[in-house]
Amino acid sequence: MEDYEVYTLPNGIRIAHKQIPHTQIAHCGIMLDIGSRDEQPHQQGLAHFWEHMAFKGTEKRKSYHIITRLETVGGELNAYTTKEKVCFHASVLGAHFEKATELLADITFHSVFPEKQIERERGVILEEMAMYYDSPEDAIQDDFDELVFPNHALGGNILGTTETVSSFRREDLQRFIAENYDTSRIVFASVSNLPFKQVIKVAEKYLRDVPTQHSARQRKTPTDYAPRQTRVERPITQAQCALGRPAYGLTDPRRLPFFMLVNLLGGPGMNSRLNLNLREKYGLVYSIDASFTPYLDTGFLGIYFGTDPKKVDKAHVLIMKELKRLREQRLTTLQLHQTKEQLIGQLAMAEESNNSFMLMMAKSLLDIDRVEALNDIFNDIKAVTAEQLQDLAQEAFVEDQFSSLTFVPEK
C-alpha cells in the first residue's frame, strides 16, 4: 500500500494512483467531499438526486451515449452517495483508461440536468424509496439513523423524502453543487498497470481546466443525542430490531480499537459473540450484526437483527448480556490474539479488491489526507491491549446510553 502516488493539479484536484503491473483492468473514480449531511432540510435527497442526474446528459452527450460509452468496450460505469461523499467511478480494460477518465470528468463537471430527465428520474427515485420502504431490514436502518442523530442531516435518509424529491428543480441541483463544490476536496483515484506519469498526463488533459473553486461550508457536529426507545407497527410478519448510539469519529485515536471491539461483538465472522449466542446457542435469529461507521466528527454504532416478535425481549436481554461481558471480563491473551488475527485477515482480504482499494484511497485522502499503509494498520492492531478494549467497552457499551427501534407486526 506504500507505493501509491499523489499529484495535485493547480486547481487543487488531487490525482492518486497505485500501479499494479499484473492487472489488465483499470479502476478509476472521481470522489467529492459532498454528501447528504451537507443538505439543508428542504434539500434532503439532493446529493443522491445529483448522482442519478449526472448520467442524464452533459454539454456534449445525451443519456444514451453516457450509458453505452463504456459498456460497448466491456466496461462498467457506476456511482454512489453516502452521508459525506459522492463518487463516480468506472472499471475498464487498461487500454480504455483514457476513455473512462474523459467520461467521468464529463459527467462530474459538465452535467446539464435536462428538465425532462429530472421529471423522469424523480419517478425512478420515488420507486427506489418505495422499494426500500417495502424492505423492513433496509428501512429500519434509515429510520434508526434519525433516532441517533435527531435534528441533524446525518439522521436524514440519503434518498430524501417524498416531499423533497417531488420538489427538486434544475436550479436546486445547481445551487447545491455551487454551495458545496470545492476543488481542493476532490480526488481522482486510479489503480491499474499504467505508470503514474501516464495517469497524470491523461488526468491533466481532462481535469486541469476545471475551474478552481472553494466552499465556505462548515459541517455542524451533532449534539442533540439522548437515548430513545421506539416501537413502530408495520405490515410485516417478523420483527426487525436496531440498537445503537453515537460513537467515535475518523480522527479519534480510539477509532481502530473500537472497530476491533465491534468486530469481536458482531462483525462478519460466524464466530462473533452475538452470532454465537443469539443464533448458534439459542436459535433466535437468522443473522445479527454489529457495525461501526466513523464520520468526520462523530460515529455510529448499530446492531441489527430480525426475529419472531415474541422473542424480541429475550434477544435484547442476550445482547445486553454480551455488552456487559465485554465491560466486565477482560480478554484473555489467546482471545486478544485471535481477535487481532481475525481483523488483520479480514483487512488483508479486503485489500485484494483493486476497485475497493481505489475507492478507499480516494476516501482516505479526503478524510485524513493520507492513505494508511496496511502494515502500519496491522502494527496498530497488534499494539492494542486487552485493557484498551475493556476501557472502550466500559465507555461505549453502557446499556442506558443505547437507543432502540423495533418494527413489530401490526395487530
Side-chain angles (χ1 to χ4, degrees):
M1 195 180 290
E2 292 87 341
D3 55 358
Y4 78 95
E5 298 175 271
V6 179
Y7 176 80
T8 304
L9 296 173
N11 56 17
I13 296 176
R14 281 173 286 180
I15 302 165
H17 177 65
K18 180 175 181 178
Q19 184 178 14
I20 299 181
H22 62 265
T23 185
Q24 296 186 57
I25 305 301
H27 303 281
C28 53
I30 297 176
M31 188 174 292
L32 304 95
D33 194 36
I34 304 171
S36 63
R37 75 169 297 176
D38 302 310
E39 299 162 348
Q40 300 299 318
H42 67 281
Q43 297 175 320
Q44 190 178 338
L46 204 46
H48 175 255
F49 205 100
W50 169 26
E51 172 212 319
H52 276 242
M53 287 304 303
F55 293 80
K56 300 306 173 184
T58 67
E59 293 167 4
K60 65 179 182 181
R61 286 188 175 94
K62 293 187 181 297
S63 176
Y64 172 81
H65 299 108
I66 293 171
I67 293 170
T68 60
R69 176 74 171 160
L70 300 185
E71 296 279 349
T72 54
V73 294
E76 296 178 355
L77 177 65
N78 217 325
Y80 64 86
T81 305
T82 68
K83 303 280 187 178
E84 295 185 328
K85 304 287 183 285
V86 170
C87 181
F88 305 99
H89 59 102
S91 299
V92 292
L93 283 170
H96 303 297
F97 172 74
E98 181 170 351
K99 182 177 288 190
T101 302
E102 186 275 331
L103 182 62
L104 288 171
D106 193 32
I107 66 174
T108 304
F109 302 108
H110 303 290
S111 291
V112 293
F113 312 125
E115 289 286 0
K116 287 185 179 179
Q117 292 282 8
I118 286 177
E119 290 306 316
R120 192 172 300 155
E121 206 59 26
R122 191 193 318 280
V124 171
I125 294 174
L126 290 173
E127 287 300 322
E128 183 181 2
M129 292 168 64
M131 180 182 71
Y132 274 92
Y133 183 82
D134 286 344
S135 175
E137 61 270 23
D138 293 324
I140 196 168
Q141 297 189 36
D142 290 326
D143 290 0
F144 191 54
D145 285 351
E146 189 175 355
L147 207 66
V148 176
F149 298 115
N151 308 311
H152 193 278
L154 278 174
N157 190 326
I158 290 173
L159 300 181
T161 68
T162 302
E163 291 74 25
T164 56
V165 171
S166 298
S167 71
F168 293 151
R169 298 291 180 268
R170 186 168 180 260
E171 53 269 25
D172 297 315
L173 287 160
Q174 294 170 325
R175 188 180 304 112
F176 176 73
I177 294 170
E179 290 170 349
N180 292 281
Y181 175 84
D182 188 324
T183 44
S184 68
R185 305 294 300 161
I186 298 173
V187 170
F188 172 78
S190 73
V191 173
S192 71
N193 62 7
L194 300 174
F196 189 42
K197 286 185 179 179
Q198 186 175 344
V199 171
I200 291 176
K201 183 179 179 181
V202 172
E204 278 193 313
K205 183 176 178 180
Y206 300 108
L207 299 175
R208 188 182 186 94
D209 292 336
V210 173
T212 303
Q213 185 171 323
H214 297 292
S215 169
R217 178 196 72 195
Q218 294 289 327
R219 283 174 167 164
K220 177 187 172 187
T221 301
T223 56
D224 294 340
Y225 179 71
R228 293 171 57 196
Q229 322 304 322
T230 304
R231 287 201 174 206
V232 179
E233 290 189 1
R234 293 281 297 269
I236 53 179
T237 56
Q238 183 190 50
Q240 293 292 328
C241 308
L243 296 91
R245 58 164 299 170
Y248 309 107
L250 280 162
T251 58
D252 195 305
R254 296 167 292 185
R255 174 175 62 97
L256 182 61
F258 189 65
F259 183 72
M260 187 190 307
L261 184 65
V262 174
N263 200 56
L264 169 66
L265 174 69
M270 293 292 286
N271 65 335
S272 75
R273 292 199 171 184
L274 291 178
N275 190 72
L276 287 175
N277 198 340
L278 275 79
R279 174 177 169 143
E280 299 301 327
K281 186 175 181 180
Y282 289 98
L284 296 179
V285 301
Y286 174 71
S287 66
I288 181 168
D289 66 88
S291 60
F292 164 47
T293 306
Y295 298 117
L296 178 70
D297 48 2
T298 186
F300 174 79
L301 166 66
I303 300 171
Y304 301 97
F305 65 95
T307 190
D308 185 291
K310 297 176 182 177
K311 298 176 181 177
V312 169
D313 292 340
K314 183 175 182 179
H316 275 233
V317 169
L318 291 174
I319 291 170
M320 292 305 163
K321 183 179 178 181
E322 289 300 327
L323 297 181
K324 182 180 180 182
R325 188 153 73 103
L326 286 167
R327 291 198 307 269
E328 296 182 349
Q329 297 178 21
R330 188 171 296 174
L331 297 188
T332 65
T333 301
L334 178 60
Q335 288 172 333
L336 180 63
H337 174 74
Q338 291 174 336
T339 299
K340 292 177 179 181
E341 288 297 304
Q342 181 166 4
L343 182 57
I344 286 171
Q346 289 171 347
L347 292 174
M349 284 195 287
E351 200 249 349
E352 284 288 299
S353 166
N354 291 338
N355 188 57
S356 296
F357 178 81
M358 179 273 295
L359 297 172
M360 181 279 294
M361 185 164 56
K363 184 176 185 299
S364 293
L365 284 170
L366 289 173
D367 287 338
I368 60 175
D369 216 28
R370 69 184 190 280
V371 180
E372 295 177 291
L374 202 57
N375 284 335
D376 290 343
I377 297 174
F378 292 167
N379 289 333
D380 289 341
I381 290 172
K382 292 173 183 176
V384 174
T385 66
E387 290 83 359
Q388 281 179 287
L389 295 180
Q390 187 178 23
D391 288 345
L392 280 173
Q394 290 173 349
E395 183 177 280
F397 290 171
V398 181
E399 292 180 26
D400 63 9
Q401 288 302 305
F402 273 68
S403 290
S404 69
L405 173 62
T406 306
F407 288 170
V408 296
E410 292 175 340
K411 295 178 181 178

